Amino acid sequence: MNESIVRTLSGIVYIALLVGATLFSEYSFVLLFGMFMLIAINEFCKLSNLSKTIPLIMGVVGFVVFSPLLINTFYTNILLNIGALFMAFMLLEELFEKGPSAPKDKTAKLARLTGYVILPFLLIIKLPFVIVGVYSPFVIIGSFILIWTNDTFAYIVGKTMGRHKLFERISPKKTIEGFLGGMLFTILGACILSQFDNFLTPVFNSSLPWIGAAVILVIFGTLGDLVESQLKRKAGVKDSGNIMPGHGGILDRLDSIIFAIPFLFLYYQILTYVS
């Protein structure tokens, strides 16, 4: 079968599964992203040459203990958020260093796994519960729509107008023009979403919260894509996995959101506090 057809069909199945499970119920959403987390842990272990038994146990324990269906307190969320933010800043420091070496110590690899994969996935699972305390699926679907909008238009604008490289050492195809184009169209998408959502707009009576979310997702989502590209470059692989034909692995599909989620989660926590 033609590669582009396989890629398209695979993408449709992925989007249908994600949107369908998120809309169906809070239980199907939590279980789907719990499954995504375990797959991502397995992929990260392969990238890092790390035995997967202990990491998978860590993931299952974290999922059971910190699931929003069981525990969803403000202080617990803050602690998880701090841990994920700490690892995000460490990975950013490595990204902007030339030729940093990957950690060889098992403890360091487990720490990176925890901060880069497990904690962000737990925050994604908690995100729809973060403001009003009840399950609000639109915030998840809206966040992914913004991520997909940025990816699509950054590619289109970069392909047609791109002249200046954004971060050539890690991703030669990304351009500043593509980044700015993705930002513009994602902000426009946020303005449209704000007219339909039942999550942020009624609380703040403004499209600004969604615009703020769009800016965070574009900036840190782009950085997340670069971080994962660097991890794959160190591992000497093109894709993190092959679970999605034509798209790679779960980390390839979710690299933007898992890196941006600590910043987005903090943003929503601040909005909750000021409201």
Side-chain angles (χ1 to χ4, degrees), residues 26-38 41 56-71 118 121-122 125-126:
E26 58 198 88
Y27 300 100
S28 57
F29 162 73
V30 170
L31 287 174
L32 177 67
F33 275 86
M35 180 181 71
F36 281 171
M37 178 179 69
L38 295 180
I41 288 172
L56 287 173
I57 292 173
M58 290 168 57
V60 171
V61 171
F63 176 78
V64 171
V65 172
F66 295 107
S67 168
L69 302 178
L70 298 176
I71 179 171
I118 296 177
F121 269 97
L122 293 177
I125 292 171
K126 287 176 173 291

Side-chain angles (χ1 to χ4, degrees), residues 10-159:
S10 178
I12 291 172
V13 171
Y14 164 69
I15 292 173
L17 180 63
L18 191 154
V19 173
T22 303
L23 289 176
F24 185 74
S25 76
E26 58 198 88
Y27 300 100
S28 57
F29 162 73
V30 170
L31 287 174
L32 177 67
F33 275 86
M35 180 181 71
F36 281 171
M37 178 179 69
L38 295 180
I39 297 171
I41 288 172
N42 184 59
E43 292 176 355
F44 182 88
C45 289
K46 290 180 179 179
L47 289 177
S48 303
N49 194 25
L50 181 65
S51 175
K52 62 185 179 181
T53 304
I54 293 177
L56 287 173
I57 292 173
M58 290 168 57
V60 171
V61 171
F63 176 78
V64 171
V65 172
F66 295 107
S67 168
L69 302 178
L70 298 176
I71 179 171
N72 195 41
T73 66
F74 174 79
Y75 294 106
T76 301
N77 292 347
I78 286 295
L79 287 175
L80 294 175
N81 207 170
I82 290 173
L85 284 169
F86 178 76
M87 181 53 64
F89 283 118
M90 287 189 63
L91 290 170
L92 284 177
E93 182 182 5
E94 287 187 15
L95 181 66
F96 290 100
E97 290 178 355
K98 290 189 176 180
S101 59
K104 296 181 174 59
D105 180 73
K106 182 179 179 180
T107 302
K109 291 180 180 180
L110 288 174
R112 175 171 291 197
L113 166 77
T114 302
Y116 177 63
V117 179
I118 296 177
L119 295 185
F121 269 97
L122 293 177
L123 292 178
I124 292 174
I125 292 171
K126 287 176 173 291
L127 192 65
F129 303 86
V130 70
I131 287 188
V132 293
V134 296
Y135 182 59
S136 301
F138 193 85
V139 68
I140 283 292
I141 294 175
S143 297
F144 274 97
I145 288 174
L146 294 178
I147 287 285
W148 296 332
T149 299
N150 179 56
D151 290 345
T152 301
F153 285 98
Y155 173 79
I156 292 173
V157 175
K159 191 78 171 177

Side-chain angles (χ1 to χ4, degrees), residues 228-249:
E228 205 236 354
S229 293
Q230 179 168 261
L231 292 175
K232 290 188 294 185
R233 186 176 289 250
K234 290 178 182 177
V237 298
K238 179 182 177 182
D239 298 316
S240 65
N242 56 9
I243 194 169
M244 294 178 60
H247 291 272

Side-chain angles (χ1 to χ4, degrees), residues 252-266:
D252 294 318
R253 290 303 89 211
L254 299 179
D255 56 357
S256 297
I257 191 73
I258 65 172
F259 192 83
I261 193 66
F263 302 93
L264 186 65
F265 197 89
L266 178 62

